[in-house]
Amino acid sequence: VDPAIITDCEPGDLFVVRNVANLVAPYNPDGSHHGVSAALEFAVKGLKVNNIIVMGHTKCGGIAALMRGISDSNETEFLGPWMKIAEKARNKVLKHFSHKEMDIQNRACEHASILLSLENLVSYPWVREKLMNESISIHGWYFDFEDGELLALNPDTLVFEPLVEADESKLAGLNILGKENSTVEEHEDFSSGMKQTDQIK
């Protein structure tokens, strides 16, 4: 998915970071190589962006691999450890949707991984500081290849809604998590907020 094409932006309008399954790792300044964290720091501190968007999409190969258990296997050197970032999302999906078909589980995990990455964004102190003073906003988007529709996460309901109908005033700051210290595991509305996925035939 090319964000510039979807948003009809010109070259240079967006600072884009792409990786397997569009994941953001939690804040962990341990001296190792952290490409996403470095890009995030550059965007926030250097470019002083006003918005950070985590955008997932249907038929994500990384999420499909996660749901197949890639993070629990030793068959890859880098992919498995990377996908462990989203292990919490996978576990939550298996808890609520294990009785559903694999396509439905995958889509549920695609949604949940976006929420988890937004949660991880807030773990960065300089992101949290800007959220607190309302100088930056974070958003969760999801592109549906099948319907050609761009959806945005409504933080009040945790439902992905068509972006043209979404209330942008509700898509900013710490409200993206419902409350400042909420997590994917603790959020009471997690399963009900994924009702769109639950209704997929």
Side-chain angles (χ1 to χ4, degrees), residues 1 8 17-18 24 27 32 41 46 70 77 92 113 120 126 134 151 158 165 168 186:
V1 178
D8 195 27
V17 180
R18 305 181 70 168
V24 177
Y27 178 71
S32 298
E41 185 174 31
I70 190 72
E77 293 181 275
K92 196 69 173 179
S113 68
N120 289 342
W126 20 271
E134 300 183 350
L151 309 175
L158 299 187
E165 299 175 6
E168 283 294 328
E186 295 171 351

Side-chain angles (χ1 to χ4, degrees), residues 96-134:
H96 290 283
F97 297 98
S98 60
H99 61 292
K100 296 292 184 179
E101 296 177 358
M102 203 65 214
D103 284 348
I104 294 177
Q105 292 185 37
N106 287 349
R107 178 166 291 207
C109 195
E110 289 163 358
H111 288 183
S113 68
I114 295 173
L115 180 61
L116 180 60
S117 285
L118 292 171
E119 175 187 315
N120 289 342
L121 272 175
V122 183
S123 71
Y124 290 77
W126 20 271
V127 173
R128 178 181 289 272
E129 179 183 359
K130 287 182 175 292
L131 286 169
M132 294 292 288
N133 62 33
E134 300 183 350

Side-chain angles (χ1 to χ4, degrees), residues 57-64 103 106-107 110 142-143 145-146:
H57 58 86
T58 54
K59 308 297 183 183
C60 178
I63 293 299
D103 284 348
N106 287 349
R107 178 166 291 207
E110 289 163 358
Y142 182 79
F143 185 68
F145 283 122
E146 297 170 334

Side-chain angles (χ1 to χ4, degrees), residues 150-166:
L150 183 59
L151 309 175
L153 179 68
N154 183 324
D156 292 335
T157 62
L158 299 187
V159 170
F160 285 87
E161 304 171 346
L163 186 60
V164 292
E165 299 175 6

